[in-house]
Coordinates of all heavy atoms in Angstrom, one line a residue:
M15 N 193.0 155.8 86.9 CA 192.8 154.5 87.4 C 192.5 154.5 88.9 O 191.7 153.6 89.3 CB 194.0 153.6 87.0 CG 193.7 152.2 87.1 SD 192.7 151.7 85.7 CE 193.4 150.2 85.3
S16 N 193.0 155.4 89.6 CA 192.8 155.4 91.0 C 191.3 155.7 91.4 O 190.8 155.3 92.4 CB 193.8 156.2 91.8 OG 193.5 157.6 91.4
E17 N 190.6 156.5 90.5 CA 189.3 156.8 90.7 C 188.4 155.6 90.7 O 187.5 155.4 91.5 CB 188.8 157.8 89.6 CG 189.0 159.2 89.9 CD 188.4 160.1 88.9 OE1 187.2 159.9 88.6 OE2 189.0 161.0 88.4
A18 N 188.7 154.7 89.8 CA 188.0 153.5 89.6 C 188.1 152.6 90.9 O 187.2 151.9 91.2 CB 188.4 152.7 88.4
T19 N 189.3 152.5 91.5 CA 189.4 151.7 92.7 C 188.8 152.3 93.9 O 188.7 151.7 94.9 CB 190.9 151.4 92.9 OG1 191.6 152.6 93.0 CG2 191.5 150.6 91.8
S20 N 188.6 153.6 93.9 CA 188.0 154.3 95.1 C 186.5 154.3 95.1 O 185.9 154.7 96.1 CB 188.5 155.7 95.2 OG 188.0 156.4 94.1
I21 N 185.8 153.8 94.0 CA 184.4 153.7 94.0 C 184.0 152.6 95.0 O 184.5 151.4 94.9 CB 183.9 153.3 92.6 CG1 184.2 154.5 91.6 CG2 182.4 153.0 92.5 CD1 183.9 154.2 90.2
E22 N 183.0 152.9 95.8 CA 182.5 151.9 96.7 C 181.5 150.9 96.0 O 180.6 151.3 95.3 CB 181.6 152.6 97.8 CG 181.2 151.7 98.9 CD 180.5 152.5 100.0 OE1 180.6 153.7 100.0 OE2 179.7 151.9 100.7
I23 N 181.9 149.6 96.1 CA 181.1 148.6 95.5 C 180.8 147.6 96.6 O 181.7 147.0 97.2 CB 181.9 147.9 94.4 CG1 182.2 148.9 93.3 CG2 181.1 146.7 93.8 CD1 183.0 148.4 92.2
P24 N 179.6 147.3 96.8 CA 178.4 147.9 96.3 C 178.2 149.3 96.8 O 178.6 149.5 98.0 CB 177.2 146.9 96.6 CG 177.7 146.2 97.9 CD 179.2 146.2 97.8
S25 N 177.5 150.1 96.0 CA 177.3 151.5 96.6 C 176.3 151.5 97.7 O 175.5 150.6 97.9 CB 176.7 152.3 95.4 OG 175.4 151.9 95.0
T26 N 176.4 152.6 98.5 CA 175.4 152.8 99.6 C 173.9 152.7 99.1 O 173.1 152.1 99.7 CB 175.7 154.0 100.4 OG1 177.0 154.0 100.9 CG2 174.8 154.2 101.5
A27 N 173.8 153.4 97.9 CA 172.4 153.4 97.4 C 171.9 152.0 97.0 O 170.7 151.7 97.3 CB 172.3 154.3 96.1
L28 N 172.8 151.2 96.5 CA 172.4 149.8 96.2 C 172.1 149.0 97.4 O 171.1 148.3 97.5 CB 173.5 149.1 95.3 CG 173.2 147.6 95.0 CD1 171.9 147.5 94.2 CD2 174.3 147.0 94.2
C29 N 172.9 149.2 98.4 CA 172.7 148.5 99.7 C 171.4 148.9 100.4 O 170.7 148.1 100.9 CB 173.9 148.8 100.7 SG 175.4 148.0 100.2
D30 N 171.1 150.2 100.2 CA 169.8 150.7 100.7 C 168.6 150.1 100.0 O 167.6 149.7 100.7 CB 169.7 152.2 100.7 CG 170.7 152.9 101.7 OD1 171.2 152.3 102.6 OD2 170.9 154.1 101.5
R31 N 168.8 150.1 98.7 CA 167.6 149.4 97.9 C 167.5 148.0 98.3 O 166.4 147.4 98.3 CB 168.0 149.5 96.4 CG 167.8 150.9 95.9 CD 168.1 151.0 94.4 NE 167.2 150.2 93.6 CZ 167.5 149.9 92.4 NH1 168.6 150.3 91.8 NH2 166.7 149.2 91.7
V32 N 168.6 147.2 98.5 CA 168.5 145.9 98.9 C 167.8 145.7 100.2 O 167.0 144.8 100.4 CB 169.9 145.2 98.9 CG1 169.9 143.8 99.5 CG2 170.5 145.1 97.5
A33 N 168.2 146.6 101.2 CA 167.5 146.5 102.4 C 166.0 146.7 102.4 O 165.2 146.0 103.0 CB 168.2 147.5 103.4
V34 N 165.6 147.8 101.6 CA 164.2 148.0 101.4 C 163.4 146.9 100.8 O 162.4 146.4 101.3 CB 164.0 149.4 100.6 CG1 162.5 149.5 100.2 CG2 164.4 150.5 101.5
L35 N 164.1 146.3 99.7 CA 163.4 145.2 99.0 C 163.4 144.0 99.9 O 162.4 143.2 99.9 CB 164.2 144.9 97.7 CG 163.8 145.8 96.6 CD1 164.8 145.5 95.4 CD2 162.4 145.6 96.1
T36 N 164.4 143.8 100.7 CA 164.4 142.6 101.7 C 163.2 142.8 102.6 O 162.5 141.8 102.9 CB 165.7 142.5 102.3 OG1 166.7 142.3 101.3 CG2 165.8 141.3 103.3
E37 N 163.1 143.9 103.2 CA 162.0 144.2 104.2 C 160.6 144.0 103.5 O 159.8 143.3 104.0 CB 162.1 145.6 104.7 CG 161.1 145.9 105.8 CD 161.3 147.2 106.4 OE1 162.5 147.7 106.5 OE2 160.3 147.8 106.8
E38 N 160.5 144.6 102.3 CA 159.2 144.3 101.6 C 159.0 142.9 101.3 O 157.9 142.3 101.4 CB 159.2 145.2 100.3 CG 159.1 146.7 100.5 CD 159.2 147.5 99.2 OE1 159.3 146.9 98.2 OE2 159.2 148.7 99.3
G39 N 160.1 142.2 100.9 CA 160.0 140.8 100.5 C 159.6 139.9 101.7 O 158.9 138.9 101.6
L40 N 160.1 140.2 102.9 CA 159.8 139.4 104.0 C 158.2 139.6 104.3 O 157.6 138.6 104.7 CB 160.6 139.9 105.3 CG 162.1 139.5 105.2 CD1 162.8 140.2 106.4 CD2 162.2 138.0 105.3
E41 N 157.7 140.8 104.1 CA 156.3 140.9 104.3 C 155.5 140.2 103.2 O 154.5 139.6 103.6 CB 155.9 142.5 104.3 CG 156.4 143.2 105.4 CD 156.2 144.7 105.3 OE1 155.5 145.1 104.4 OE2 156.9 145.4 106.1
L42 N 156.0 140.3 102.0 CA 155.3 139.7 100.9 C 155.4 138.1 101.0 O 154.4 137.4 100.6 CB 155.9 140.1 99.6 CG 155.3 139.7 98.3 CD1 153.9 140.0 98.1 CD2 156.1 140.2 97.1
E43 N 156.5 137.6 101.4 CA 156.7 136.2 101.5 C 155.6 135.5 102.3 O 155.0 134.5 101.9 CB 158.0 135.9 102.2 CG 158.2 134.4 102.4 CD 159.5 134.0 103.2 OE1 159.8 134.8 104.1 OE2 160.1 133.0 102.9
S44 N 155.2 136.1 103.5 CA 154.2 135.4 104.3 C 152.8 135.5 103.6 O 152.1 134.5 103.6 CB 154.1 136.1 105.6 OG 153.6 137.4 105.5
R45 N 152.6 136.5 102.9 CA 151.3 136.6 102.1 C 151.3 135.6 100.9 O 150.3 135.0 100.6 CB 151.1 138.0 101.6 CG 150.8 139.0 102.8 CD 150.6 140.4 102.4 NE 150.2 140.7 101.1 CZ 150.6 141.8 100.4 NH1 151.5 142.6 100.9 NH2 150.1 142.1 99.2
V46 N 152.5 135.5 100.2 CA 152.6 134.6 99.1 C 152.4 133.1 99.6 O 151.7 132.4 98.9 CB 153.9 134.8 98.3 CG1 154.1 133.7 97.3 CG2 153.8 136.1 97.6
L47 N 153.1 132.9 100.7 CA 153.0 131.5 101.2 C 151.5 131.1 101.6 O 151.0 130.0 101.4 CB 153.9 131.3 102.4 CG 155.4 131.3 102.0 CD1 156.3 131.2 103.2 CD2 155.8 130.2 100.9
A48 N 150.8 132.1 102.3 CA 149.4 131.9 102.6 C 148.6 131.7 101.4 O 147.7 130.8 101.3 CB 148.9 133.0 103.5
F49 N 148.8 132.5 100.3 CA 148.2 132.4 99.1 C 148.3 131.1 98.5 O 147.4 130.4 98.0 CB 148.6 133.5 98.1 CG 148.1 133.4 96.8 CD1 146.8 133.9 96.4 CD2 148.8 132.8 95.8 CE1 146.3 133.7 95.2 CE2 148.3 132.7 94.5 CZ 147.0 133.2 94.1
A50 N 149.6 130.6 98.5 CA 149.9 129.3 97.9 C 149.2 128.2 98.6 O 148.6 127.2 98.0 CB 151.4 129.0 97.9
R51 N 149.1 128.2 100.0 CA 148.4 127.2 100.7 C 147.0 127.2 100.4 O 146.3 126.2 100.1 CB 148.6 127.5 102.2 CG 149.9 127.0 102.8 CD 150.0 127.0 104.3 NE 149.9 128.3 104.8 CZ 150.8 129.2 105.0 NH1 152.0 128.9 104.7 NH2 150.5 130.4 105.5
E52 N 146.4 128.4 100.3 CA 145.0 128.5 100.0 C 144.7 128.1 98.6 O 143.6 127.4 98.4 CB 144.5 130.0 100.2 CG 143.0 130.1 100.1 CD 142.2 129.6 101.2 OE1 142.8 129.3 102.3 OE2 141.0 129.5 101.0
A53 N 145.5 128.4 97.6 CA 145.3 128.0 96.2 C 145.4 126.5 96.1 O 144.6 125.9 95.4 CB 146.3 128.7 95.3
G54 N 146.3 125.9 96.9 CA 146.4 124.5 96.8 C 145.2 123.8 97.4 O 144.7 122.8 96.9
D55 N 144.7 124.4 98.5 CA 143.4 123.8 99.2 C 142.3 123.9 98.2 O 141.5 123.0 98.1 CB 143.2 124.6 100.5 CG 142.0 124.1 101.2 OD1 142.0 122.8 101.4 OD2 141.1 124.8 101.6
V56 N 142.1 125.1 97.5 CA 141.1 125.3 96.6 C 141.2 124.2 95.5 O 140.1 123.6 95.1 CB 141.1 126.7 96.0 CG1 140.3 126.9 94.7 CG2 140.6 127.7 97.0
G57 N 142.3 124.0 95.0 CA 142.5 123.0 93.9 C 142.2 121.6 94.3 O 141.5 120.9 93.6
R58 N 142.6 121.2 95.5 CA 142.2 119.9 96.1 C 140.7 119.8 96.3 O 140.1 118.8 96.1 CB 143.0 119.7 97.4 CG 144.4 119.4 97.2 CD 145.2 119.0 98.4 NE 145.2 120.1 99.4 CZ 146.2 121.1 99.3 NH1 147.1 121.1 98.4 NH2 146.1 122.0 100.3
T59 N 140.1 120.9 96.8 CA 138.6 120.9 97.0 C 137.9 120.8 95.7 O 136.9 120.0 95.6 CB 138.2 122.1 97.8 OG1 138.9 122.2 99.1 CG2 136.7 122.2 98.1
F60 N 138.4 121.5 94.7 CA 137.8 121.4 93.4 C 137.9 120.0 92.9 O 136.8 119.5 92.4 CB 138.4 122.4 92.5 CG 137.8 122.4 91.1 CD1 136.7 123.0 90.7 CD2 138.4 121.5 90.1 CE1 136.1 122.9 89.4 CE2 137.9 121.4 88.8 CZ 136.8 122.1 88.5
D61 N 139.0 119.5 93.0 CA 139.2 118.0 92.5 C 138.2 117.1 93.2 O 137.7 116.2 92.6 CB 140.6 117.6 92.7 CG 141.6 118.3 91.8 OD1 141.2 118.9 90.7 OD2 142.8 118.2 92.0
A62 N 138.1 117.2 94.5 CA 137.2 116.4 95.2 C 135.8 116.5 94.8 O 135.0 115.6 94.7 CB 137.4 116.6 96.8
E63 N 135.3 117.8 94.7 CA 133.9 118.1 94.3 C 133.6 117.6 92.9 O 132.5 117.2 92.6 CB 133.6 119.5 94.5 CG 133.5 119.9 95.9 CD 133.1 121.3 96.1 OE1 132.7 122.0 95.1 OE2 133.1 121.9 97.2
A64 N 134.6 117.7 92.0 CA 134.4 117.5 90.5 C 134.9 116.1 90.2 O 134.9 115.8 89.0 CB 135.1 118.5 89.8
E65 N 135.2 115.2 91.2 CA 135.7 113.9 90.8 C 134.9 113.1 89.9 O 135.4 112.4 89.0 CB 136.0 113.2 92.2 CG 136.6 111.8 92.0 CD 136.8 111.2 93.4 OE1 136.3 111.7 94.4 OE2 137.5 110.2 93.4
A66 N 133.6 113.1 90.0 CA 132.7 112.3 89.2 C 132.4 112.8 87.9 O 131.7 112.2 87.0 CB 131.4 112.1 90.0
L67 N 132.8 114.1 87.5 CA 132.5 114.7 86.3 C 133.3 114.1 85.1 O 134.4 113.8 85.3 CB 132.7 116.2 86.3 CG 131.8 116.9 87.4 CD1 132.2 118.4 87.4 CD2 130.3 116.8 87.2
D68 N 132.7 114.2 84.0 CA 133.4 113.8 82.7 C 134.2 115.1 82.3 O 134.1 116.1 82.9 CB 132.5 113.3 81.6 CG 131.5 114.4 81.1 OD1 131.9 115.6 81.1 OD2 130.4 114.0 80.7
E69 N 135.1 114.9 81.3 CA 136.0 115.9 80.9 C 135.3 117.2 80.5 O 135.8 118.3 80.9 CB 136.9 115.4 79.7 CG 138.1 116.3 79.4 CD 139.1 116.4 80.5 OE1 139.2 115.4 81.3 OE2 139.8 117.4 80.7
L70 N 134.3 117.1 79.7 CA 133.5 118.3 79.3 C 132.9 119.1 80.4 O 133.0 120.3 80.6 CB 132.5 117.9 78.2 CG 131.7 119.1 77.6 CD1 132.7 120.1 76.9 CD2 130.7 118.5 76.6
A71 N 132.2 118.3 81.3 CA 131.6 118.9 82.4 C 132.6 119.5 83.3 O 132.4 120.6 83.9 CB 130.8 117.9 83.2
L72 N 133.8 118.9 83.5 CA 134.8 119.4 84.3 C 135.4 120.7 83.9 O 135.5 121.7 84.6 CB 136.0 118.3 84.4 CG 137.2 118.7 85.3 CD1 136.7 118.7 86.7 CD2 138.3 117.6 85.0
E73 N 135.5 120.8 82.5 CA 136.0 122.1 81.9 C 135.0 123.2 82.1 O 135.3 124.4 82.4 CB 136.2 121.9 80.4 CG 137.4 121.1 80.1 CD 137.7 121.0 78.6 OE1 137.3 121.9 77.8 OE2 138.3 120.0 78.2
R74 N 133.7 122.9 82.0 CA 132.6 123.9 82.2 C 132.6 124.4 83.7 O 132.5 125.6 83.9 CB 131.3 123.3 81.9 CG 131.0 123.2 80.5 CD 129.5 122.9 80.2 NE 129.4 122.1 79.0 CZ 128.7 121.1 78.7 NH1 127.9 120.6 79.6 NH2 128.7 120.6 77.5
V75 N 132.7 123.5 84.6 CA 132.6 124.0 86.0 C 133.9 124.7 86.4 O 133.8 125.6 87.2 CB 132.3 122.8 87.0 CG1 130.9 122.3 86.8 CG2 133.3 121.8 87.0
A76 N 135.0 124.3 85.8 CA 136.3 125.0 86.0 C 136.2 126.5 85.6 O 136.6 127.4 86.2 CB 137.5 124.3 85.4
V77 N 135.6 126.7 84.4 CA 135.4 128.0 83.8 C 134.4 128.7 84.7 O 134.7 130.0 85.0 CB 134.9 127.9 82.3 CG1 134.5 129.3 81.9 CG2 136.1 127.4 81.4
R78 N 133.3 128.2 85.0 CA 132.3 128.8 85.8 C 132.8 129.3 87.1 O 132.5 130.4 87.6 CB 131.1 127.8 86.0 CG 129.9 128.7 86.6 CD 128.6 127.8 86.7 NE 128.8 126.8 87.7 CZ 128.6 125.5 87.6 NH1 128.0 125.1 86.5 NH2 128.7 124.6 88.5
C79 N 133.7 128.6 87.8 CA 134.2 129.0 89.1 C 135.5 129.9 89.0 O 135.9 130.4 90.0 CB 134.3 127.9 90.1 SG 135.8 126.9 89.8
G80 N 136.0 130.1 87.8 CA 137.1 130.9 87.6 C 138.5 130.2 87.9 O 139.5 130.8 88.1
L81 N 138.5 128.9 87.9 CA 139.7 128.2 88.3 C 140.9 128.4 87.2 O 142.0 128.5 87.6 CB 139.4 126.7 88.4 CG 140.5 125.8 89.0 CD1 140.7 126.3 90.4 CD2 140.1 124.3 89.0
G82 N 140.5 128.6 86.0 CA 141.5 128.9 85.0 C 142.2 130.2 85.2 O 143.4 130.3 85.0
V83 N 141.5 131.2 85.6 CA 142.1 132.5 85.9 C 143.1 132.4 87.1 O 144.2 132.9 87.1 CB 141.0 133.6 86.3 CG1 141.6 134.9 86.6 CG2 140.0 133.8 85.0
L84 N 142.6 131.6 88.2 CA 143.5 131.4 89.3 C 144.8 130.7 88.9 O 145.9 131.1 89.2 CB 142.8 130.7 90.4 CG 143.6 130.4 91.7 CD1 144.1 131.6 92.3 CD2 142.8 129.5 92.6
H85 N 144.6 129.7 88.0 CA 145.7 128.9 87.6 C 146.7 129.7 86.8 O 147.9 129.7 87.0 CB 145.2 127.7 86.8 CG 146.3 126.8 86.3 ND1 147.0 126.0 87.1 CD2 146.9 126.7 85.1 CE1 147.9 125.3 86.4 NE2 147.9 125.7 85.2
A86 N 146.1 130.6 85.9 CA 147.0 131.5 85.1 C 147.7 132.4 86.0 O 148.9 132.8 85.7 CB 146.1 132.2 84.0
L87 N 147.1 133.0 87.0 CA 147.7 133.9 87.9 C 148.8 133.2 88.6 O 150.0 133.8 88.7 CB 146.7 134.4 89.0 CG 147.2 135.2 90.1 CD1 147.8 136.6 89.5 CD2 146.1 135.5 91.1
V88 N 148.7 132.0 89.1 CA 149.7 131.3 89.8 C 150.9 131.0 88.9 O 152.1 131.1 89.2 CB 149.1 129.9 90.4 CG1 150.3 129.0 90.8 CG2 148.2 130.3 91.5
E89 N 150.6 130.6 87.6 CA 151.7 130.4 86.6 C 152.5 131.7 86.4 O 153.7 131.6 86.3 CB 151.1 129.9 85.3 CG 150.7 128.4 85.4 CD 150.2 127.9 84.0 OE1 150.1 128.7 83.0 OE2 150.0 126.7 83.9
R90 N 151.8 132.8 86.2 CA 152.6 134.1 85.9 C 153.4 134.4 87.2 O 154.6 134.9 87.0 CB 151.6 135.2 85.7 CG 151.0 135.2 84.3 CD 150.3 136.5 83.9 NE 149.3 136.9 84.9 CZ 148.0 136.7 84.8 NH1 147.6 135.9 83.9 NH2 147.2 137.2 85.8
M91 N 152.9 134.2 88.3 CA 153.8 134.5 89.5 C 155.0 133.6 89.6 O 156.1 134.0 89.9 CB 152.8 134.4 90.8 CG 151.8 135.5 90.9 SD 150.6 135.2 92.2 CE 151.5 134.9 93.7
A92 N 154.7 132.3 89.4 CA 155.8 131.3 89.4 C 156.9 131.6 88.3 O 158.1 131.5 88.6 CB 155.2 129.9 89.2
D93 N 156.4 132.0 87.1 CA 157.4 132.4 86.1 C 158.2 133.6 86.4 O 159.4 133.6 86.2 CB 156.6 132.6 84.8 CG 156.0 131.4 84.1 OD1 156.4 130.3 84.5 OD2 155.2 131.5 83.2
A94 N 157.6 134.5 87.0 CA 158.3 135.8 87.4 C 159.3 135.5 88.5 O 160.5 135.9 88.3 CB 157.3 136.8 87.9
L95 N 158.9 134.7 89.4 CA 159.9 134.3 90.5 C 161.0 133.4 90.0 O 162.2 133.6 90.3 CB 159.2 133.6 91.7 CG 158.3 134.6 92.4 CD1 157.4 133.8 93.5 CD2 159.1 135.7 93.1
T96 N 160.7 132.5 89.1 CA 161.7 131.6 88.4 C 162.7 132.5 87.6 O 163.9 132.2 87.7 CB 161.1 130.5 87.5 OG1 160.2 129.7 88.4 CG2 162.0 129.6 87.0
D97 N 162.2 133.4 86.8 CA 163.0 134.2 86.0 C 163.9 135.0 86.9 O 165.1 135.3 86.5 CB 162.2 135.2 85.1 CG 161.5 134.4 84.1 OD1 161.8 133.3 83.8 OD2 160.5 135.1 83.4
L98 N 163.5 135.5 88.0 CA 164.2 136.2 88.9 C 165.3 135.4 89.6 O 166.5 135.9 89.8 CB 163.4 136.9 90.0 CG 164.0 137.8 91.1 CD1 164.7 139.0 90.4 CD2 163.0 138.2 92.1
A99 N 165.0 134.2 89.9 CA 166.0 133.3 90.6 C 167.0 132.7 89.7 O 168.2 132.5 90.1 CB 165.2 132.2 91.3
E100 N 166.7 132.5 88.4 CA 167.6 131.9 87.5 C 169.0 132.7 87.3 O 170.0 132.2 87.4 CB 167.0 131.5 86.2 CG 166.1 130.3 86.3 CD 165.4 130.1 85.0 OE1 165.4 130.9 84.0 OE2 164.7 129.0 84.9
P101 N 168.9 134.0 87.2 CA 170.1 134.8 87.0 C 170.9 134.7 88.3 O 172.1 134.7 88.2 CB 169.6 136.2 86.7 CG 168.3 136.1 86.1 CD 167.7 134.9 86.8
A102 N 170.3 134.7 89.4 CA 171.1 134.6 90.6 C 171.8 133.3 90.8 O 173.0 133.2 91.1 CB 170.2 134.8 91.9
C103 N 171.2 132.2 90.3 CA 171.9 130.9 90.2 C 173.0 130.9 89.2 O 174.1 130.4 89.5 CB 170.8 129.8 89.9 SG 169.6 129.5 91.1
D104 N 172.8 131.6 88.1 CA 173.9 131.7 87.1 C 175.1 132.5 87.6 O 176.2 132.1 87.4 CB 173.3 132.4 85.8 CG 172.3 131.5 85.1 OD1 172.2 130.3 85.4 OD2 171.6 132.1 84.3
R105 N 174.8 133.5 88.4 CA 175.9 134.3 89.0 C 176.7 133.5 89.9 O 177.9 133.6 90.0 CB 175.4 135.6 89.6 CG 174.9 136.7 88.7 CD 174.6 138.0 89.4 NE 173.6 137.9 90.4 CZ 172.3 138.1 90.1 NH1 171.9 138.4 88.8 NH2 171.4 138.0 91.0
R106 N 176.0 132.7 90.8 CA 176.7 131.9 91.8 C 177.5 130.8 91.1 O 178.6 130.5 91.5 CB 175.7 131.3 92.7 CG 175.3 132.2 93.9 CD 174.4 131.5 94.9 NE 173.2 132.1 94.8 CZ 172.1 131.6 94.7 NH1 172.0 130.3 94.7 NH2 170.9 132.3 94.6
A107 N 177.0 130.2 90.1 CA 177.7 129.2 89.3 C 179.0 129.8 88.6 O 180.0 129.0 88.5 CB 176.8 128.5 88.3
A108 N 178.9 131.0 88.2 CA 180.0 131.6 87.5 C 181.1 132.0 88.5 O 182.3 132.1 88.2 CB 179.6 132.9 86.8
A109 N 180.8 132.2 89.8 CA 181.7 132.7 90.8 C 182.7 131.6 91.2 O 182.8 130.5 91.0 CB 181.0 133.2 92.0

């Protein structure tokens, strides 16, 4: 039983991994935030340019410019980050 109590928690290896991921995350955060701003601007510009189009024409031009692909990419990124954040929230609630 004394062996179990002498184990370092969190381990040095885990702390090192957290430090590396944090550093990478800080770099990624600025790129993601810039991407989000640009994607929002693209969406608003598309809406302004396509304002007068009917539903069918709107769908055609959205496909032609690749807006659906961009939207799907944003959704996958949002889902991945949400899935990552939810367990952390659950752990805090349990504490």
Side-chain angles (χ1 to χ4, degrees):
M15 195 73 140
S16 66
E17 273 186 51
T19 58
S20 66
I21 296 174
E22 185 179 343
I23 299 175
S25 66
T26 302
L28 178 59
C29 291
D30 291 345
R31 286 178 64 196
V32 169
V34 168
L35 280 173
T36 300
E37 186 175 324
E38 290 174 5
L40 288 170
E41 293 173 14
L42 183 59
E43 176 189 31
S44 66
R45 292 179 23 219
V46 168
L47 294 175
F49 173 82
R51 282 189 299 273
E52 186 70 18
D55 184 51
V56 163
R58 287 184 294 278
T59 301
F60 178 85
D61 289 345
E63 288 185 9
E65 184 177 8
L67 298 178
D68 64 35
E69 191 67 29
L70 183 58
L72 184 64
E73 288 180 29
R74 283 191 208 137
V75 296
V77 168
R78 190 174 68 226
C79 77
L81 194 61
V83 175
L84 178 62
H85 183 73
L87 173 64
V88 168
E89 283 185 351
R90 284 193 309 269
M91 291 168 53
D93 288 346
L95 290 172
T96 299
D97 290 347
L98 181 63
E100 285 176 352
C103 292
D104 292 344
R105 284 191 298 272
R106 275 187 246 129

